[in-house]
């Protein structure tokens, strides 16, 4: 390409996009030790974020399954009232184990 900046002066140039190497959040200007520390902090935050997402997913599944089992318990208790106590014991046992898993996580 040719660009004319002043009358009579022609400058030939090619357009080249320059992208700096990614070093993460502007850490290229920091000392290596600080940059490494920031990297570890960011990694730890990512791990904690993933851990929290997994915990929430586990809790959500436990709540949804307990709710579904409770609905089934009510339906079966109406159909066979003599077994209502057993149905409740099964749902309670599931709910307790689900809560324990969330606590241990």
């Amino acid at each position: 390409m040719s660009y004319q900046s002043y009358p009579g002066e022609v400058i030939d140039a090619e357009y080249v996009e320059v992208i700096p190497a990614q070093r993460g959040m502007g850490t290229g200007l920091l000392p290596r030790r600080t940059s490494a520390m920031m990297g570890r902090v960011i990694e730890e935050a990512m791990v904690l974020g993933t851990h929290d997402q997994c915990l929430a997913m586990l809790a959500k599944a436990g709540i949804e399954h307990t709710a579904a089992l409770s609905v089934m318990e009510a339906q079966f208790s109406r159909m066979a009232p003599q077994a209502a106590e057993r149905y409740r014991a099964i749902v309670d046992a599931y709910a307790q184990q689900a809560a324990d898993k969330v606590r241990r996580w």
Side-chain angles (χ1 to χ4, degrees):
M1 285 183 190
S2 293
Y3 296 96
Q4 191 167 3
S5 58
Y6 298 106
E9 183 181 347
V10 177
I11 300 172
D12 286 342
E14 284 186 34
Y15 175 77
V16 178
E17 187 172 348
V18 178
I19 301 172
Q22 295 294 324
R23 299 192 89 170
M25 298 176 70
T27 58
L29 302 174
L30 299 173
R32 283 183 194 229
R33 184 173 177 184
T34 303
S35 180
M37 185 184 299
M38 284 180 64
R40 286 191 300 273
V41 168
I42 291 168
E43 266 184 44
E44 185 177 341
M46 291 173 70
V47 168
L48 290 173
T50 301
H51 183 272
D52 186 62
Q53 286 178 332
C54 292
L55 177 59
M57 188 170 41
L58 183 63
K60 180 180 183 263
I63 289 169
E64 289 173 349
H65 296 165
T66 300
L69 290 170
S70 295
V71 168
M72 289 175 64
E73 174 194 342
Q75 290 172 345
F76 282 102
S77 291
R78 283 192 297 278
M79 292 180 349
Q82 68 278 12
E85 213 173 293
R86 291 183 184 141
Y87 302 143
R88 178 172 298 277
I90 291 169
V91 174
D92 287 348
Y94 173 82
Q96 187 59 53
Q97 283 188 353
D100 289 344
K101 284 179 186 173
V102 171
R103 280 187 208 98
R104 282 193 309 267
W105 180 263

